[in-house]
Amino acid sequence: MADTPGIGAGRATHAPAVDVREGVPGGLDAGIGSRVDGTVSVHLVRLLLQTARRLGVAEEQLARVPGTDAVVLRGELNRLPMSSLLRLWELIARPGAGVAVAEAAPLGALNTWDYLVTTGATLVDSLRAAQPYHRLVTAAAEGFDLSGEADLTVGYRTSASDPVVASTVNEYVLAYYLRRAREATGRPLVPTKVTFGHPAPPDHRLLTDVFGTRAIEFGAAADSITFHADDANAPLPRADPMLADLMRSHADLVLASSRTVADPLDAFRIALTSALDTADPTLARVAKALAMSERSLQRHLADHGTSWRAELDSLRYERAKLLLSQGLPKSAVARRLAFTDDRALRKAVHRWTAASEATA
């Protein structure tokens, strides 16, 4: 959804946009965008799941959201479909939910992104340097806008079409940026203006309390939060140029190494790989990791034109080629791949070789 803290990146604001694309590392956009477009990080998904549970959303509803099983969420480099994030927003959409998500997101909750937006020389410098990396959290097409020559306005747009969902997302994003701005500056700063595209709710005292101001406009042309020039340009107590450079380098690496979990079969393969890593690639273990019965898992694989045996055999084959090429003795490879003994591995290698030759 947003572009920065992971939701929609705003509707365009009317103030002149700040060009923050200068100096973007050459490799950042090349070849990465197509792979991570339309996906979001597991950090944001975990944050919404935690809030959904606190708000009482039923576990069976959450379990039906693709990519929310524990084995996928443990992978820091996994990327989930934007549709999964939108579904979670739909499940929690209600007055105050957006603010609740922001309140549940201490510094570090969104991992690298949080430190990118808080370790620059000033707040505006931090946001400018971080903007090209918004894909760390959400899809490239949903980038956020920075505008203003004196005061700093952060604007965004959300791809959520449902008005209630959109308003929940909007409130989260603005509350998120206010929280990070306060953490970065070390002071309880108050925005000069907050605007929402959605109509005013019957009671918006919660928003007044959260943003610390009555200068909140509803039904506006853009969703935005504006910081006074003194706050936007004040030196940050936590400014750390070396850490900021390190975070950008790490962001490049994360984006280049991310793995898209596009469908349930991807989740299964992640769980199977994890099980093989511990030399326990059993149907029971993988089914439990995916919160499925063994029969349901086998039926799921059949629906995708594959089977447990075929998937395990394929993964073992790829691992065996790698380990044997590294010079590991067959006994060690057999143990790592959970074969009963060397003989079983040799039989498998013979079968794989014969199959490979037959299809050559």
Side-chain angles (χ1 to χ4, degrees), residues 273-353:
T273 300
S274 176
L276 187 60
D277 286 342
T278 60
D280 184 26
T282 62
L283 178 63
R285 173 176 176 142
V286 175
K288 182 178 180 180
L290 295 171
M292 302 171 70
S293 69
E294 295 177 34
R295 179 169 296 184
S296 294
L297 176 54
Q298 289 175 315
R299 187 166 52 247
H300 161 79
L301 293 173
D303 290 342
H304 284 78
T306 186
S307 67
W308 167 261
R309 184 177 295 278
E311 290 293 325
L312 177 58
D313 203 47
S314 176
L315 180 57
R316 276 174 158 170
Y317 174 45
E318 294 302 323
R319 283 290 182 85
K321 285 195 299 183
L322 175 62
L323 296 174
L324 290 171
S325 71
Q326 294 173 344
L328 266 68
K330 287 186 177 179
S331 58
V333 175
R335 285 194 301 273
R336 287 204 189 187
L337 300 184
F339 283 102
T340 53
D341 52 32
D342 300 9
R343 182 184 176 193
L345 173 61
R346 285 196 300 271
K347 288 177 63 177
V349 170
H350 178 73
R351 175 166 48 81
W352 293 329
T353 303

Side-chain angles (χ1 to χ4, degrees), residues 91-358:
L91 290 173
I92 69 173
R94 66 200 67 179
V99 169
V101 175
E103 290 178 340
L107 186 65
L110 296 185
N111 206 266
T112 307
W113 176 258
D114 280 350
Y115 299 105
L116 283 174
V117 300
T118 56
T119 54
T122 64
L123 180 60
V124 67
D125 287 341
S126 296
L127 291 173
R128 285 177 175 176
Q131 188 177 22
Y133 295 95
H134 69 273
R135 284 172 293 180
L136 285 170
V137 182
T138 191
E142 310 217 352
F144 66 101
D145 307 315
L146 302 177
S147 61
E149 296 179 358
D151 291 353
L152 171 67
T153 296
V154 181
Y156 65 95
R157 54 192 171 273
T158 175
S159 57
S161 57
D162 183 282
V164 177
V165 175
S167 64
T168 301
V169 172
N170 298 343
E171 291 171 7
Y172 156 67
V173 177
L174 298 194
Y176 167 91
Y177 279 111
L178 177 60
R179 178 169 186 172
R180 290 295 176 266
R182 287 172 172 171
E183 290 164 339
T185 60
R187 47 182 164 170
L189 60 81
V190 174
T192 60
K193 187 177 182 180
V194 177
T195 66
F196 289 111
H198 60 270
D203 184 352
H204 55 268
R205 285 176 295 180
L206 173 63
L207 296 177
T208 300
D209 291 342
V210 169
F211 291 99
T213 179
R214 294 182 179 276
I216 301 177
E217 178 184 347
F218 294 94
D223 298 284
S224 65
I225 183 168
T226 300
F227 299 102
H228 191 278
D230 290 346
D231 293 320
N233 295 289
L236 298 186
R238 36 182 316 116
D240 188 333
M242 291 185 65
L243 177 58
D245 286 342
L246 179 62
M247 287 294 99
R248 286 191 290 272
S249 296
H250 181 65
D252 287 330
L253 180 61
V254 168
L255 288 171
S257 306
S258 294
R259 172 174 53 186
T260 300
V261 183
D263 58 44
L265 193 56
D266 289 332
F268 161 77
R269 287 171 175 157
I270 290 172
L272 177 58
T273 300
S274 176
L276 187 60
D277 286 342
T278 60
D280 184 26
T282 62
L283 178 63
R285 173 176 176 142
V286 175
K288 182 178 180 180
L290 295 171
M292 302 171 70
S293 69
E294 295 177 34
R295 179 169 296 184
S296 294
L297 176 54
Q298 289 175 315
R299 187 166 52 247
H300 161 79
L301 293 173
D303 290 342
H304 284 78
T306 186
S307 67
W308 167 261
R309 184 177 295 278
E311 290 293 325
L312 177 58
D313 203 47
S314 176
L315 180 57
R316 276 174 158 170
Y317 174 45
E318 294 302 323
R319 283 290 182 85
K321 285 195 299 183
L322 175 62
L323 296 174
L324 290 171
S325 71
Q326 294 173 344
L328 266 68
K330 287 186 177 179
S331 58
V333 175
R335 285 194 301 273
R336 287 204 189 187
L337 300 184
F339 283 102
T340 53
D341 52 32
D342 300 9
R343 182 184 176 193
L345 173 61
R346 285 196 300 271
K347 288 177 63 177
V349 170
H350 178 73
R351 175 166 48 81
W352 293 329
T353 303
S356 179
E357 291 173 350

